[in-house]
Amino acid sequence: MTLCTATALVADDEPLLRQALIRKLAAQWPELEVVAEARNGREAIELFELHQPDICFLDIQMPGISGVEAAQEIGRRAHLVFITAYDQYAVKAFQQEALDYLVKPVENDRLANTVSRLQERLQMTSSVKNSLQSLEQITEQFQKTQPSNYLRWIKASIGNTLRLIAVEDIHYLRSDEKYTLIAWSESHGKTSEALIKTPLKDLSAQLDPQHFVQVHRSVVVNFKAIQHVIRDGDTAQIHLKYCQEVLPVSRRYMHLFKQM
């Protein structure tokens, strides 16, 4: 790769700021090709997987998945530059490591320094393992500032497509030998399914118990997806609101429905 073939992704949920950064980059680094623009962290990951750019400019505060979380998914596969509206905590963290950052609104002189640093890195043949170590430290500290550590997204590969499934959209999870089947609602209301390799017991330990409950050795269900429950002796069946699947309740978990 040469500087002439360098490519970039720019992710910012504020269109005007995103376009302003792209214009400044074009002025200071005409050879750089911006191959993708993302409006949020989910798009940033999907577009990164599609275009595999050399550099990612990621706004930290974006709806859904933050720039830091998106960067964790991208990892060492790209050079990462964070953009922040003067998050004092984040700036302090970045200053300790090799990862670069830009404070909104991006100033030309500061961007010129970033461009120079990136060009130097692109000419190096070594990996960005130091950047990854920095990223992991930043991510760990960032997650400590979040209100809870419960799982918010689950990553699933469907063919050549990487999907990020919002946990709140999941109807149920069912163990399928070495895999876990996840059923969730798409934005248009259709139910989709995907298999992931993470065991159900590992996933269930990361789900918010206020929303998810285990009802069978192989089934965890979202409370809000339950339409009604029909008892059948010492067991029961759960009927769902959004799909035809009927889930079993084993004797071990019937105490959850003792008010029936």
Side-chain angles (χ1 to χ4, degrees):
M1 178 184 63
T2 68
L3 293 181
C4 293
T5 61
T7 56
L9 174 151
V10 177
D12 194 320
D13 62 321
E14 299 177 70
L16 294 178
L17 294 180
R18 188 172 69 242
Q19 292 302 319
L21 176 58
I22 292 173
R23 288 195 299 271
K24 290 175 182 286
L25 284 169
Q28 298 198 20
W29 193 353
E31 298 84 2
L32 179 68
E33 182 184 3
V34 176
V35 294
E37 300 178 39
R39 298 167 297 181
N40 52 57
R42 183 202 294 248
E43 279 192 358
I45 295 172
E46 292 177 349
L47 291 173
F48 173 80
E49 298 294 345
L50 180 63
H51 295 283
Q52 299 286 311
D54 305 304
I55 305 164
C56 293
F57 294 87
L58 301 173
D59 183 22
I60 288 181
Q61 298 294 340
M62 292 189 289
I65 297 179
S66 72
V68 173
E69 292 169 310
Q72 189 176 29
E73 294 293 331
I74 295 169
R76 66 179 66 189
R77 294 180 292 167
H79 298 276
L80 304 172
V81 177
F82 288 115
I83 309 167
T84 174
Y86 198 69
D87 183 326
Q88 188 172 8
Y89 176 83
V91 170
K92 183 177 179 180
F94 301 149
Q95 287 174 333
Q96 298 174 358
E97 302 295 339
L99 284 177
D100 210 345
Y101 68 94
L102 294 167
V103 177
K104 299 179 183 179
V106 177
E107 297 179 352
N108 288 330
D109 291 345
R110 183 66 182 86
L111 181 60
N113 291 335
T114 299
V115 167
S116 177
R117 190 174 304 174
L118 284 168
Q119 290 175 339
E120 291 177 1
R121 287 191 182 183
L122 288 170
Q123 291 175 330
M124 297 171 61
T125 56
S126 61
S127 70
V128 293
K129 61 181 180 181
N130 291 334
S131 296
L132 180 62
Q133 182 180 3
S134 170
L135 173 63
E136 291 174 345
Q137 292 174 353
I138 292 171
T139 300
E140 181 180 355
Q141 294 179 13
F142 180 84
Q143 288 176 339
K144 290 179 180 177
T145 68
Q146 302 306 300
S148 76
N149 291 322
Y150 292 121
L151 200 61
R152 298 167 56 199
W153 301 89
I154 293 178
K155 182 172 64 176
S157 296
I158 304 175
N160 294 326
T161 302
L162 174 68
R163 293 295 307 268
L164 289 171
I165 305 167
V167 167
E168 62 185 13
D169 293 336
I170 293 176
H171 302 325
Y172 65 90
L173 306 93
R174 184 197 291 269
S175 177
D176 184 9
E177 297 183 354
K178 296 181 180 179
Y179 298 89
T180 298
L181 182 145
I182 300 174
W184 78 96
S185 279
E186 299 278 10
S187 58
H188 47 65
K190 180 183 176 182
T191 297
S192 293
E193 295 182 349
L195 286 174
I196 63 173
K197 293 182 179 179
T198 306
L200 179 62
K201 65 178 182 180
D202 293 347
L203 285 172
S204 61
Q206 302 177 66
L207 298 174
D208 188 344
Q210 293 188 3
H211 300 291
F212 288 88
V213 62
Q214 185 149 15
V215 295
H216 187 276
R217 177 175 55 83
S218 62
V219 178
V220 171
V221 65
N222 188 336
F223 281 119
K224 73 178 185 180
I226 298 176
Q227 183 175 59
H228 61 267
V229 180
I230 299 177
R231 292 196 62 159
D232 183 16
D234 295 332
T235 62
Q237 294 180 333
I238 293 176
H239 293 252
L240 302 173
K241 296 177 182 176
Y242 312 110
C243 59
Q244 298 299 315
E245 186 75 13
V246 177
L247 305 177
V249 180
S250 66
R251 180 184 304 175
R252 178 180 178 183
Y253 298 99
M254 279 300 293
H255 66 280
L256 298 170
F257 307 96
K258 63 182 179 182
Q259 298 301 325
M260 294 177 57

